[in-house]
Amino acid sequence: MREDLSRARGLAFLLCSAVVTFVAMLAPVLVVDAATNESGDTNDVAVSVVVCLFLAVIALPALLVLRSLRVRGTQRRQLLREWAAIDRGHDSEIPSGYGSQGSPHSRFINAAALLLLVFVLVVVVLANASDTTGLVLLPGLFVAGSFAWATVRKYTDRYTWASRENVIRSRERRRQRCRGQMSGVVEAQPTGVRPALLYVALCAPVVIVALVFAIARPKNVLGIVLIGLVALAVLVIGAPMATLKRRRERDENARAANALANSFPPGAVVHPIRYGLGEPGGRHVTAGPASWDCDPPRAGALAVDGNLLHLRGVNGDALDIPFTDLMGVARVANAVTWLDPTLDLLLRSGDSIEVRTPQAAEIAGALSEAGVRTVST
């Protein structure tokens, strides 16, 4: 990770990319100048050829260094992912260096600004395409934009990876906390925060600013009204899409539960679930309860019958968990309002299975009546 964020490597990339960009900008100018030379002087052409060869000699080491940095960066990216896959404890801090707990890296910001500047310049040059002298700048701009995009893509990939790894570690910390509550080591401290209240808290400052602006400058309130109408239009369009996505998931889970109803004991109440919400498939868990917590998300069904918790999947997965193997169940309200709540089945073996279902409260109630300890977070 220190190597990935090394200032020396960043400076080497900057210098080499600047050299290659300079060559890409100067070489076309020399070629065009030699091709449009009306005097027909062969000396000018020879000088242009020699200068181009000299620029190629200068650019070759820079290209080799850039290639070496790219190869090593690809290897380092793979090593980081392998490292993170075997160090996912609740106390792990592997991805914290990639801006997931602070502001983005300065290289990312600078590269994004440069990429925007290059885009603007390309638009300006193409808008004046009738002036052929400006077109010679396009190769250099393309090279500069490629280097800027490479940096933006690298750190975007790192931030995405770090965010996903932090979610995994956050889930593990939550599970450790719930296990501590169930064993009496940690006192239960329900947060009481609900997603709807969180969204209201986020929208409240905007509403307050709009009201203050309307009172202080009533004649200029038209802009606020227009912004409000645009936000309302986005909400009107986005809310049905989120509802439709939620409905599709529920319908898929319901169809799976209906198809699996015959695989449960007679008289058992079948609940539709979606499992495979935890660890990604890179963990290589192929059997046992832990495999139910691995990607990809898939539909299934759950039933509580006697002293067993039955889990079934449409792809043939089957698991029966005795209540004695259950340390407890944590009911978690989803932070995304259009997603159903989840149940985290905490096993005494240390494994956990997270399932998402609209009937989380009913399942938790049935398990609680059967003597299984349940907590809400």
Side-chain angles (χ1 to χ4, degrees):
M1 186 181 297
R2 287 194 297 269
E3 180 181 328
D4 206 44
L5 299 172
S6 170
R7 291 187 177 90
R9 287 180 173 270
L11 181 60
F13 177 83
L14 177 63
L15 293 177
C16 292
S17 60
V19 170
V20 175
T21 303
F22 173 75
V23 171
M25 284 188 172
L26 187 57
V29 174
L30 295 175
V31 172
V32 171
D33 183 65
T36 58
N37 188 1
E38 297 179 355
S39 63
D41 190 353
T42 57
N43 291 330
D44 293 341
V45 176
V47 170
S48 299
V49 171
V50 171
V51 173
C52 288
L53 291 176
F54 178 71
L55 292 176
V57 171
I58 294 177
L60 182 60
L63 288 172
L64 293 176
V65 173
L66 290 173
R67 182 180 180 277
S68 175
L69 292 176
R70 180 179 180 181
V71 171
R72 177 56 186 169
T74 303
Q75 296 173 350
R76 189 166 56 247
R77 176 177 178 270
Q78 182 63 26
L79 289 172
L80 282 170
R81 279 156 174 73
E82 293 177 358
W83 177 20
I86 61 175
D87 187 13
R88 283 193 170 136
H90 63 280
D91 57 346
S92 175
E93 298 180 356
I94 287 178
S96 61
Y98 286 99
S100 55
Q101 297 180 355
S103 60
H105 200 277
S106 57
R107 294 182 214 167
F108 178 85
I109 298 175
N110 297 335
L114 178 59
L115 188 62
L116 179 61
L117 177 61
V118 168
F119 177 77
V120 172
L121 292 177
V122 168
V123 172
V124 171
V125 171
L126 294 179
N128 298 276
S130 57
D131 185 6
T132 57
T133 58
L135 296 178
V136 296
L137 296 176
L138 288 179
L141 291 176
F142 176 78
V143 172
S146 299
F147 285 131
W149 169 244
T151 303
V152 172
R153 183 179 60 180
K154 170 190 172 180
Y155 283 99
T156 300
D157 174 77
R158 297 296 192 272
Y159 295 149
T160 303
W161 167 77
S163 177
R164 173 60 178 165
E165 291 296 328
N166 276 326
V167 168
I168 294 173
R169 285 155 178 75
S170 176
R171 181 184 290 111
E172 185 63 26
R173 286 191 290 270
R174 185 197 69 204
R175 288 172 171 175
Q176 290 291 331
R177 185 173 64 252
C178 290
R179 289 179 183 276
Q181 293 176 7
M182 292 171 183
S183 62
V185 176
V186 179
E187 183 180 355
Q189 296 180 350
T191 59
V193 176
R194 292 295 178 264
L197 298 178
L198 180 61
Y199 285 119
V200 170
L202 292 174
C203 295
V206 178
V207 175
I208 294 174
V209 170
L211 291 176
V212 172
F213 191 87
I215 295 173
R217 295 173 176 259
K219 295 182 179 180
N220 298 331
V221 77
L222 180 60
I224 296 294
V225 174
L226 292 177
I227 294 176
L229 291 176
V230 171
L232 182 61
V234 172
L235 180 62
V236 169
I237 295 173
M241 293 180 63
T243 304
L244 180 61
K245 183 176 180 180
R246 181 177 185 176
R247 175 57 59 185
R248 286 177 177 173
E249 179 177 303
R250 286 188 173 184
D251 291 343
E252 181 184 353
N253 295 344
R255 289 193 297 269
N258 293 332
L260 295 168
N262 295 330
S263 63
F264 292 98
V269 179
V270 180
H271 305 278
I273 63 170
R274 179 164 291 269
Y275 63 99
L277 310 176
E279 295 282 352
R283 197 180 177 186
H284 303 297
V285 177
T286 57
S291 63
W292 286 71
D293 204 39
C294 296
D295 283 345
R298 45 207 186 272
L302 177 150
V304 179
D305 181 68
N307 294 323
L308 293 175
L309 180 65
H310 304 279
L311 298 173
R312 300 291 185 271
V314 291
N315 58 351
D317 292 338
L319 180 65
D320 296 326
I321 305 175
F323 289 166
T324 54
D325 292 346
L326 273 176
M327 185 176 186
V329 177
R331 183 159 64 94
V332 184
N334 209 308
V336 183
T337 55
W338 54 81
L339 289 180
D340 293 318
T342 62
L343 285 176
D344 218 351
L345 310 176
L346 307 176
L347 306 182
R348 296 188 185 278
S349 62
D351 296 323
S352 300
I353 304 173
E354 187 173 357
V355 298
R356 186 164 65 232
T357 172
Q359 301 174 5
E362 291 84 345
I363 299 173
L367 291 173
S368 179
E369 293 177 358
V372 178
R373 183 165 184 179
T374 61
V375 295
S376 297
T377 60

